[in-house]
Amino acid sequence: MDPVPSPTHSGITLNVNGEKHALSVDHRTTLLDALRERLDLTGTKKGCDQGQCGACTVLVDGRRTVACLQFAVAAEGREITTIEGVAEGERLHPVQQAFLDLDGYQCGYCTPGQICSAIAVIEEHAAGWPSAATDDVRPEAGPPPLTPDEIRERMSGNLCRCGAYVAITQAVARAAGARTAPAAQTTADRGAAA
Ligand code: FES
Ligand code: FES
């Protein structure tokens, strides 16, 4: 689609999950609405629409971003990854697989945002980024152990109204290969223990 010259609209190209999409958008259109309403990528959820719940979390150039607070025009030229783009073909992303194995959800509404956020959390942690729960923030201390407290703090921007936090924390720990987290149980484990 050719750009439409207008004081209120711009022609932009969004690079989403490796595909380029040419759109004419109102300058006030959020990235969230562009994804859901224009590109039919409805895996990204709208919860609060004001940056408080994390349901709309996507990756922009590998960093987690709440799509309801970013204008679509500001995302032009960036690499956007939504939940529809994290798997490799039929193979689930390790974070998706961990959420599935450990029941890291109930209704599932927050789950796409939780998974996108967790993917970035694991990268941020591996890169040595401290969190508010990190005791020793000196660069030479290296990444802190990815304890449940660290995971909860780093995932605190993603709310779950179903309260599936215990399994979410376990799933992030498993996906990160964290050895300090409590032993994660599979559904089968829990059934066997019941
Ligand atoms: S919908 Fe974006 S943070 Fe809640
Ligand atoms: S699984 Fe229902 S809101 Fe999180």
Side-chain angles (χ1 to χ4, degrees):
M1 183 186 302
D2 289 334
V4 180
S6 156
T8 58
H9 288 65
S10 286
I12 62 171
T13 300
L14 292 181
N15 183 355
V16 186
N17 302 329
E19 284 184 29
K20 291 194 162 73
H21 303 270
L23 297 171
S24 174
V25 293
D26 185 306
H27 297 152
R28 297 164 294 183
T29 304
T30 63
L31 176 58
L32 175 59
D33 284 342
L35 291 170
R36 288 182 56 85
E37 310 297 335
R38 304 293 301 280
L39 302 182
D40 207 22
L41 291 169
T42 53
T44 305
K45 303 303 186 205
K46 183 181 284 189
C48 63
D49 207 19
Q50 53 186 342
Q52 294 184 345
C53 73
C56 64
T57 304
V58 297
L59 303 174
V60 177
D61 290 340
R63 300 264 179 97
R64 47 192 172 147
T65 299
V66 280
C68 68
L69 290 189
Q70 179 158 86
F71 288 122
V73 291
E76 186 172 29
R78 320 281 293 275
E79 279 188 28
I80 301 157
T81 305
T82 68
I83 191 66
E84 290 90 347
V86 300
E88 282 186 27
E90 293 298 307
R91 207 177 78 198
L92 294 179
H93 188 284
V95 174
Q96 289 177 302
Q97 190 64 56
F99 271 68
L100 192 60
D101 291 343
L102 298 172
D103 290 339
Y105 48 81
Q106 289 182 35
C107 76
Y109 197 81
C110 72
T111 311
Q114 300 276 3
I115 289 174
C116 286
S117 203
I119 291 170
V121 160
I122 291 167
E123 295 299 319
E124 291 163 14
H125 173 260
W129 293 18
S131 79
T134 304
D135 287 331
D136 189 347
V137 298
R138 292 172 304 141
E140 60 269 31
L146 199 53
T147 61
D149 276 350
E150 280 282 354
I151 293 171
R152 281 191 285 268
E153 170 58 29
R154 291 168 190 261
M155 292 290 294
S156 61
N158 291 80
L159 305 184
C160 174
R161 287 165 181 78
C162 296
Y165 294 113
V166 172
I168 289 170
T169 302
Q170 291 175 338
V172 177
R174 173 178 285 192
R179 300 187 184 284
T180 49
Q185 290 181 310
T186 63
T187 307
D189 291 337
R190 278 203 285 273

